[in-house]
Amino acid sequence: MKVLARDFYDREPATVAKDLLGKILVRRLGNGILSGRIVETEAYYGKDDPASRAYKGRKPFNELMFMNTGKTFIYMVHANWLLNIVAHKQGQVGGILIRAIEPLKGTETMLKNRKTKDMKDLTNGPGKLTKALAVTKDLNGIDVTKRDSEIVIVEAKGEDFETGSSHRIGVKHDLPQPLRFYIKQNKFVSKS
DNA sequence: AGGAAGATCTACT
DNA sequence: GTAGATCTTCCTA
């Protein structure tokens, strides 16, 4: 099980977002491990991106996006925690929003966290997956390139899949280019 | 104090 | 499938 290194995140957000598909997100809890395969992501930029948290410049709450790559950036929208990974080239700003995962390990705990019995409904949305994995602001800024962090992203075994792309979901002012990426025909990608 | 924010749930047609 | 209420922070005034 190989943890993705920092240089993986030191690239264009859109490139990282696409390459993140199929990788495994690991959530380490005190008692066990939850994990899932990343099936849907979105790239966000800095001041050129009206939908980005960093659009209006550096603020205390978003400064993580300006700093070290490979760290989590977690914030709340509409009563949901959303999980991002900071990723951008040196001197730039950006991040990847994890929108959906396919549950692998610890599904029983996830079902309990989500209070549902429906597997399909478990992690097919950005707010749902954080709830299922017990991700909150407490985990903001942790380093996903360190093997012993509470959240880690690891290399997956080479399974082939087709990737699709589209405009981002739910954003008021999107950019012209498609910045959402997902694995085609995976039932855990959030639909809309 | 007020409002906006990368969404979700529920309840209908 | 679509529409509407409502969820909780953090920013800006």
Side-chain angles (χ1 to χ4, degrees):
Chain A
M1 201 148 93
K2 192 175 139 213
V3 178
L4 292 177
R6 165 142 296 114
D7 57 7
F8 179 89
Y9 303 98
D10 290 340
R11 301 179 292 157
E12 275 300 303
T15 312
V16 179
K18 201 161 151 200
D19 285 355
L20 232 28
L21 293 176
K23 302 292 189 288
I24 311 296
L25 179 69
V26 179
R27 164 89 241 251
R28 203 185 307 278
L29 286 167
N31 36 352
I33 277 189
L34 310 177
S35 72
R37 186 159 168 251
I38 297 171
V39 298
E40 184 180 352
T41 60
E42 281 178 4
Y44 285 84
Y45 287 79
K47 69 172 171 30
D48 297 326
D49 184 354
S52 172
R53 288 273 119 152
Y55 183 47
K56 294 207 168 146
R58 182 166 178 154
K59 299 282 158 52
F61 84 101
N62 67 17
E63 65 180 358
L64 272 169
M65 281 185 83
F66 293 75
M67 310 200 309
N68 296 358
T69 55
K71 302 213 168 173
T72 57
F73 174 47
I74 300 172
Y75 56 89
M76 161 109 19
V77 175
H78 291 67
N80 296 287
W81 294 110
L82 305 195
L83 173 62
N84 297 255
I85 312 295
V86 180
H88 54 78
K89 287 191 175 171
Q90 194 66 43
Q92 301 197 307
V93 186
I96 316 302
L97 169 68
I98 313 286
R99 285 193 58 85
I101 65 174
E102 174 184 339
L104 296 175
K105 288 187 193 148
T107 53
E108 280 158 40
T109 308
M110 295 190 211
L111 288 168
K112 212 169 73 190
N113 290 343
R114 286 272 300 128
K115 299 193 165 93
T116 180
K117 287 192 282 186
D118 187 356
M119 280 295 286
K120 282 207 310 286
D121 200 42
L122 200 52
T123 53
N124 62 338
K128 297 181 184 176
L129 113 221
T130 53
K131 214 164 283 168
L133 299 185
V135 171
T136 68
K137 180 89 185 188
D138 292 347
L139 301 176
N140 196 20
I142 70 170
D143 193 333
V144 300
T145 65
K146 286 203 177 131
R147 163 175 309 277
D148 55 349
S149 288
E150 290 179 278
I151 297 179
V152 180
I153 298 180
V154 300
E155 189 73 61
K157 324 206 185 334
E159 279 174 45
D160 250 1
F161 52 82
E162 252 194 288
T163 76
S165 63
S166 79
H167 70 87
R168 293 175 295 188
I169 291 182
V171 310
K172 277 228 181 94
H173 307 292
D174 204 358
L175 295 174
Q177 68 254 217
L179 290 173
R180 170 179 176 245
F181 305 95
Y182 56 94
I183 295 182
K184 277 189 181 170
Q185 285 160 347
N186 185 292
K187 38 182 196 292
F188 292 96
V189 311
S190 70
K191 222 191 146 181
S192 54

